[in-house]
Amino acid sequence: MRTWKRMGFEAGWLSVAITVLSPGIDAQQLKSRGMPQTQAEMHQRVQALYDFHPLQLSDGERSKKSAEMDYFWTEMKGDTSKSLPLLRVELREAPQGSFFLTDGSELLLSLSTIPEDKQLAADALARTNLRDTESGTYFFTVHDLACAGVDVTAAALHILDDSRFLVSVPQHAMTLDQNSALMYVLLSMKDDRWVKAAAERFAQENNVNAKRALVAAFDYAQTDEADAELKRIAADASQPDAVRKDAREFVEEAGKSVKGGLQVKGTVAEIREQRRKRLRSVSDEAIFDVQWMTKRMAQMRAKGMN
């Protein structure tokens, strides 16, 4: 079962109370009708339950919503042959920023493990309002999906939309900042398809910190496409000084890589896979190992080794 803390409903986040239901829609009345049987009924139920943002709820409203949404989850779990098709349509069509994208994605992942539903959840999470969800909840959900082979490129790049994105990992006494969180998710995917999308995001990005996070990700990528992007950024006089400086340093460091001798065994492809598997663990030790593996890949690529 969901918990409000997991979904971002911590008491410290509360603000001014507002009316949360759409005019003319009563969640209690809808609840009495039982599980939605048609798409129209499902849509009406979702509108009634999720027309709000967590930051705007009072204690009383939060308690009411908690009970209503728990009941909704119970209904959806009752007959998944009927509920899953309805849920999938609502997630695909939910508007940008709706809290249903957050809670509905978790509901879907609790009901289904098929790859198509995992991909649908990842795509929905990429359209969430990150202020509605704890950074840690979002990160670990997207990270798990990446490790499971799902293309989470859009959801990963969405991390850049919240400048306050921080993930606490108390068991390792560490906190992942925006750069580290982005790196973790992107490199946990099975391939490097994200590089093109990241380059497109960079071209549209105006935030300096987000640009620097993308530059760091390009360096971690260790692909010809990412190398070319770093060189382009380093030579682009229109880029902020800090961004160009980061790119230049990464390019120069790659040229010096041949002088080292890190003891990491395997081909570039094998080390890339070792690195991906190491990132299944979220810890400072894993980050340290990944840095060494990346350095070794840079050394081998600079020598023309495969």
Side-chain angles (χ1 to χ4, degrees):
M1 180 178 294
R2 283 173 7 274
T3 65
W4 289 109
K5 183 175 182 181
R6 178 176 169 81
M7 298 313 301
F9 276 69
E10 292 185 289
W13 288 25
L14 300 182
S15 182
V16 179
I18 63 169
T19 301
V20 296
L21 297 183
S22 299
I25 299 178
D26 188 313
Q28 290 297 332
Q29 290 179 1
L30 290 174
K31 175 178 167 180
S32 67
R33 299 178 190 174
M35 191 188 90
Q37 300 298 311
T38 67
Q39 200 65 55
E41 291 178 357
M42 179 68 165
H43 184 66
Q44 192 176 36
R45 177 69 67 83
V46 169
Q47 281 189 313
L49 290 178
Y50 295 98
D51 189 16
F52 71 97
H53 292 285
L55 286 172
Q56 298 168 324
L57 295 181
S58 67
D59 287 339
E61 286 171 326
R62 190 170 80 257
S63 295
K64 180 181 179 181
K65 278 295 174 186
S66 178
E68 291 174 357
M69 294 167 72
D70 282 346
Y71 188 90
F72 177 66
W73 273 53
T74 299
E75 285 183 321
M76 293 297 101
K77 291 180 178 181
D79 187 348
T80 56
S81 66
K82 293 180 180 179
S83 64
L84 274 173
L86 301 176
L87 178 59
R88 291 172 183 134
V89 171
E90 290 304 312
L91 274 176
R92 290 190 188 99
E93 299 182 355
Q96 183 85 15
S98 168
F99 183 60
F100 177 66
L101 291 166
T102 300
D103 199 54
S105 294
E106 186 166 346
L107 173 57
L108 178 62
L109 292 173
S110 75
L111 298 178
S112 172
T113 59
I114 66 173
E116 294 80 4
D117 284 335
K118 290 181 178 181
Q119 188 63 61
L120 175 56
D123 294 342
L125 287 169
R127 296 187 288 120
T128 60
N129 182 341
L130 289 176
R131 298 296 177 89
D132 284 345
T133 309
E134 289 181 295
S135 295
T137 297
Y138 185 88
F139 168 79
F140 283 108
T141 300
V142 176
H143 176 250
D144 286 348
L145 289 170
C147 292
V150 179
D151 180 1
V152 299
T153 301
L157 294 177
H158 190 31
I159 289 172
L160 299 175
D161 294 326
D162 184 359
S163 60
R164 304 182 306 173
F165 198 92
L166 291 173
V167 179
S168 176
V169 189
Q171 56 269 51
H172 290 279
M174 64 180 288
T175 299
L176 296 179
D177 60 11
Q178 195 178 51
N179 289 28
S180 299
L182 181 67
M183 176 275 291
Y184 243 102
V185 176
L186 291 176
L187 298 188
S188 292
M189 288 190 284
K190 286 187 176 180
D191 55 46
D192 303 304
R193 72 182 72 179
W194 59 267
V195 174
K196 180 179 179 180
E200 292 172 351
R201 172 63 185 259
F202 184 91
Q204 301 172 355
E205 184 60 63
N206 294 316
N207 184 280
V208 172
N209 289 331
K211 281 178 173 285
R212 296 184 72 182
L214 287 167
V215 167
F218 292 138
D219 180 60
Y220 271 110
Q222 289 300 310
T223 67
D224 292 342
E225 185 180 9
D227 290 350
E229 186 65 14
L230 282 175
K231 291 175 182 177
R232 186 195 65 76
I233 296 168
D236 186 352
S238 69
Q239 295 298 330
D241 290 342
V243 176
R244 290 186 67 196
K245 180 175 181 291
D246 287 350
R248 283 198 303 269
E249 289 178 352
F250 285 133
V251 171
E252 291 169 1
E253 183 65 22
K256 299 175 182 177
S257 296
V258 292
K259 299 179 181 179
L262 305 181
Q263 298 303 309
V264 181
K265 297 180 180 180
T267 65
V268 170
E270 289 169 342
I271 296 172
R272 192 183 303 278
E273 179 61 14
Q274 291 176 44
R275 187 178 68 170
R276 187 182 70 82
K277 290 180 178 179
R278 188 67 180 98
L279 284 167
R280 292 175 181 172
S281 171
V282 181
S283 67
D284 49 349
E285 295 88 355
I287 291 177
F288 179 80
D289 290 344
V290 165
Q291 290 171 341
W292 282 103
M293 290 177 185
T294 303
K295 183 73 172 178
R296 178 57 178 159
M297 289 167 63
Q299 289 178 333
M300 295 177 69
R301 293 179 67 242
K303 292 179 180 179
M305 301 168 60
N306 294 323

